Amino acid sequence: MVVGAFPIAKLLYLGVRQMSKPVANRIKAGARRSEFFKTYICLPPAQIYHWVEMRTKMRIMGFRGSTIKPLNEDAAAELGAELLGEAIIFLIGGGCMVLEYSRQAANSRRKEEELNETVISLQTQIAELTLTTETLDAQLREVNRQLVSFPVPNKK
């Protein structure tokens, strides 16, 4: 029983995707501890996300002119860290998809090139066989011509 090639690339992609969650959690924990991350990386996206979410909810409920209070720093840092973690997981998953697509496209291109080479080889063989057939046909005509030119002996 012959087994196909082991899909090592798919296994690696799966491993990377599985490792993305713990990596994202560590980055989130580091972002919560670091003042730089908290101030410049976590808080602004969290406040924007909160503002858009609350604005959307208010419009759905019919409140148009309401002002939205920003989140406190701890809640914004937590939300920002969650957004950062989800963005990391999304980027890793997207990267795996892009790599898988490029791998599949390369395989498809390779198979197409092999098919084209096979078609060209077959066309060359057909051309050679056509030439051989024409040569044999010409030789056969020549033999028939010579055969007809021989005098036929009379039977007595």
Side-chain angles (χ1 to χ4, degrees):
M1 181 165 100
V2 177
V3 177
F6 186 70
I8 192 76
K10 289 184 181 182
L11 184 63
L12 287 174
Y13 295 150
L14 181 63
V16 167
R17 286 181 47 206
Q18 291 297 324
M19 292 300 296
S20 66
K21 192 79 164 178
V23 168
N25 288 338
R26 293 208 91 185
I27 290 173
K28 286 190 314 191
R32 288 185 190 109
R33 286 191 304 268
S34 170
E35 281 300 316
F36 174 80
F37 265 107
K38 192 184 293 184
T39 305
Y40 297 108
I41 306 295
C42 292
L43 292 181
Q47 293 295 358
I48 291 170
Y49 177 80
H50 172 70
W51 182 82
V52 169
E53 181 185 29
M54 292 308 293
R55 174 73 69 189
T56 305
K57 285 180 181 178
M58 292 295 198
R59 286 201 176 163
I60 289 172
M61 291 189 296
F63 301 112
R64 296 259 177 211
S66 301
T67 59
I68 298 170
K69 295 180 182 174
L71 288 173
N72 64 28
E73 190 173 318
D74 291 336
E78 185 68 29
L79 179 60
E82 288 296 321
L83 288 173
L84 178 64
E86 292 300 320
I88 289 169
I89 291 170
F90 179 77
L91 289 174
I92 289 173
C96 287
M97 284 179 23
V98 167
L99 288 174
E100 180 65 22
Y101 175 79
S102 65
R103 189 180 71 79
Q104 290 294 332
N107 284 343
S108 176
R109 251 190 327 273
R110 182 184 50 79
K111 286 180 182 178
E112 180 130 357
E113 287 172 0
E114 288 175 359
L115 182 63
N116 285 341
E117 288 174 6
T118 303
V119 167
I120 289 170
S121 172
L122 289 173
Q123 287 174 342
T124 304
Q125 288 177 357
I126 288 173
E128 289 172 357
L129 289 173
T130 303
L131 183 62
T132 303
T133 304
E134 289 173 358
T135 304
L136 289 174
D137 188 41
Q139 288 174 354
L140 183 61
R141 277 188 308 231
E142 179 64 25
V143 167
N144 282 338
R145 188 186 61 76
Q146 289 176 357
L147 190 60
V148 169
S149 67
F150 283 134
V152 178
N154 290 337
K155 292 183 185 179
K156 293 187 181 182

